[in-house]
Amino acid sequence: MIIGLTGTPGTGKTSVSRLLQGHGYNVLYLTDLIKDECLYSEVDEDRDTLVADMDRVFSRVCELAGDDEGVNIIDSHMAHHIADVVIVLRTAPSDLRERLKLRDYSDAKIEENVEAECLDVILVESVEWCQKVYEIDTTGRMAEDVVADMEEIISGILSGDDSEVHQKYMPGSFDWSGEIF
Ligand SMILES: Nc1ncnc2c1ncn2[C@@H]1O[C@H](COP(=O)(O)OP(=O)(O)O)[C@@H](O)[C@H]1O
């Protein structure tokens, strides 16, 4: 089965994915796949990013993971465009800003991402498009603790009754809209 791990850049998807891989899960790092297999339609020079060809990305992910009975995690801020079941990582805007400052991002790119987190952009898209959405707060926590939450959610899903974990990791638990100004 495919589980998307999505969230604003900097919320910790790749750090958590690497740890999950160490625990034996298959992980597809979508950004690498798109780059390595040229699954993009154009290069957006202004935003310093590749515009993914989502039809080809979707087909390729299905090829790589679709028939696998184990759990395949897709690490990407676009995972919710592909998977029906997604876990959204969240980070309080002030914490996220500090994490993004450590990257080679322009101030504008940092603020664009912080604003997107304040406005729940990825969470709202996930709830709109996916069948099942779980939300984990990473603020002030260790990546290992987030991995433990992920494994709890995955166990719940695999058990066939996710009602308890869905209640515990219910989407829409944070309101950071006041931090925009
Ligand atoms: N609880 C946490 N979970 C994951 N990453 C965290 C956490 N707390 C701090 N971090 C740090 O935040 C950064 C997240 O980067 P990364 O994993 O590449 O995020 P993303 O893949 O979402 O862009 C890393 O430097 C990581 O060490």
Side-chain angles (χ1 to χ4, degrees):
M1 92 172 292
I2 297 175
I3 297 180
L5 180 58
T6 189
T8 306
T11 50
K13 301 177 295 296
T14 301
S15 308
V16 165
S17 292
R18 289 205 182 106
L19 291 169
L20 285 167
Q21 211 171 7
H23 290 204
Y25 292 92
N26 292 327
V27 179
L28 278 178
Y29 296 95
L30 215 56
T31 304
D32 293 344
L33 185 76
I34 290 167
K35 250 187 235 163
D36 294 348
E37 301 196 7
C38 300
L39 302 176
Y40 50 87
S41 51
E42 58 179 288
V43 180
D44 184 338
E45 305 276 0
D46 290 342
R47 305 186 77 231
D48 187 24
T49 185
L50 300 174
V51 180
D53 178 338
M54 290 310 288
D55 288 340
R56 286 170 63 217
V57 172
F58 181 71
S59 302
R60 188 67 181 124
V61 168
C62 290
E63 255 172 40
L64 290 170
D67 293 336
D68 188 338
E69 287 186 2
V71 174
N72 290 275
I73 309 285
I74 304 177
D75 163 22
S76 172
H77 66 286
M78 294 184 298
H80 56 290
H81 292 262
I82 291 176
D84 284 332
V85 177
V86 296
I87 298 173
V88 186
L89 297 189
R90 303 302 308 273
T91 307
S94 48
D95 200 342
L96 185 66
R97 185 178 286 110
E98 293 312 309
R99 290 189 200 176
L100 293 177
K101 276 183 187 167
L102 301 175
R103 294 186 176 184
D104 184 23
Y105 277 8
S106 65
D107 288 349
K109 190 164 174 174
I110 292 174
E111 289 314 313
E112 183 188 353
N113 282 300
V114 169
E115 192 171 306
E117 186 64 2
C118 287
L119 294 173
D120 306 329
V121 170
I122 288 189
L123 182 74
V124 169
E125 289 177 357
S126 300
V127 169
E128 254 175 45
W129 295 333
C130 304
Q131 278 170 18
K132 277 279 178 184
V133 181
Y134 309 85
E135 186 178 38
I136 299 177
D137 188 11
T138 73
T139 312
R141 302 179 66 204
M142 303 286 291
E144 288 77 3
D145 297 331
V146 176
V147 168
D149 289 355
M150 294 254 329
E151 292 192 296
E152 188 183 2
I153 293 171
I154 293 168
S155 298
I157 295 170
L158 294 179
S159 76
D161 177 7
D162 77 329
S163 47
E164 221 171 279
V165 286
H166 196 246
Q167 184 68 31
K168 184 169 173 188
Y169 298 98
M170 177 95 69
S173 313
F174 313 105
D175 180 4
W176 291 316
S177 56
E179 295 197 35
I180 292 179
F181 304 105

